[in-house]
Amino acid sequence: MQLTEEQLLIKETARRFASKKLSPNAEIWDRNAHFPVKELKEMGKLGLMGILVPQKYGGAEAGFLAYVTALSEISEGDGGTSVTMAVQAIVETCILGYGNEEQKNLYLPGLACGDLFGAFMLTEPHTGSDAKAISCKAIKYGNQYILNGTKQFVTTGANADIAIVFAVTEHPDSNKDISAFIVPTDSAGYKVARIENKLGQKTNDTAQIILEDIKISSPMLLGQEGQGYKIALCNLESGRIGIAAQSVGFSNAAFNAARSYALERKSFGKPLIEHQAIAFYLAEMATEIEAGRLMMLNAAELKANGKPCLKEASMAKLFCSEMAERVCSKAIQIHGGYGYLSDFPVERLYRDARVCQIYEGTNEVQKSLIARSISNEV
């Protein structure tokens, strides 16, 4: 697949930024669970936080292929930063697709340039993959809604400026249904209950958020009342392709680290790479990464062209996320005992990659979707 000149420019911009600003700091950021606000705002100024946003709202309007290739490069530099970038794109897409003009003008420019950070609040402590089972409530009184509930695994929940919150709407003239709201996080009643201590991706906070009697005016309703589930589902394909792109980034970073180590480290009088066992490991890793990259790009091209790609997105997410764990594990093996130490990046990459099999729909969910899709093919 040939990328356009603009797509290549964005990819190269992301690669240089990741190499200069993210990779050198990733280890200490990971150790201190540091949220890199300064670097994220720099990404905004470079246009990397608003690749999908139209130019009239301050974005780059460069398309989905440019976005996933840039996301993959940022993932090579730092996993948590790439998650912040990905969630930013999801929030922007929700507002673009369902927001009114006032909401777009109010929030998209700030999100696109990195002055605002967004969060996406769907999952609750008891729901997991069953999004329809949410119990967060938005009860309407006159021209406002009162929100109450708890949201779990909220990416950027403690650092976000606005959040897309999904809640069950209730009022006397309507059946219960899920609706979406734009909620400023400085609203009275927005409480960060806990920052989760995670295995990896520690440079992005994952929070439990309590919403306690938050008053939201009707103009902050995103789309129409009852459209919440539809809004939540609108990002499924792009989100899963994004996870595939992250997985490719983690894998490529682990491969490059392992190759460099194998070229420098000597064993039994010659570099590790001259031992067939190590060379074969690297050959397998390179092959799997290339296969995953092509699957990701194929799904992204379908998405960019407005073609159905649910199966391809699920396949890319499934393969790439499992491939990333295999590649990162082999990278640790090539490093030997040193690969198990935090002095080398491969142990962090392994930790960062592991969650790719869980979020944006577990891999078990992906297998069910793929099985359903192929069973319906003629």
Side-chain angles (χ1 to χ4, degrees), residues 116-135:
L116 297 176
F117 297 129
F120 185 84
M121 298 190 183
L122 177 62
T123 302
E124 298 181 0
H126 64 285
T127 60
S129 299
D130 187 5
K132 284 187 176 180
I134 66 170
S135 59

Side-chain angles (χ1 to χ4, degrees), residues 239-307:
R240 287 163 184 171
I241 298 168
I243 302 307
Q246 286 182 303
S247 299
V248 170
F250 297 146
S251 304
N252 208 46
F255 170 78
N256 287 331
R259 179 177 57 183
S260 295
Y261 186 82
L263 286 166
E264 295 170 4
R265 174 78 169 179
K266 289 187 176 181
S267 176
F268 299 101
K270 59 183 179 180
L272 287 181
I273 201 166
E274 293 183 17
H275 293 279
Q276 188 180 68
I278 302 302
F280 279 11
Y281 265 163
L282 291 167
E284 291 166 355
M285 292 158 71
T287 300
E288 287 209 88
I289 293 168
E290 187 62 16
R293 179 183 289 109
L294 292 173
M295 288 184 72
M296 180 269 290
L297 289 173
N298 176 60
E301 186 174 38
L302 290 171
K303 177 70 177 176
N305 291 328
K307 296 181 179 178

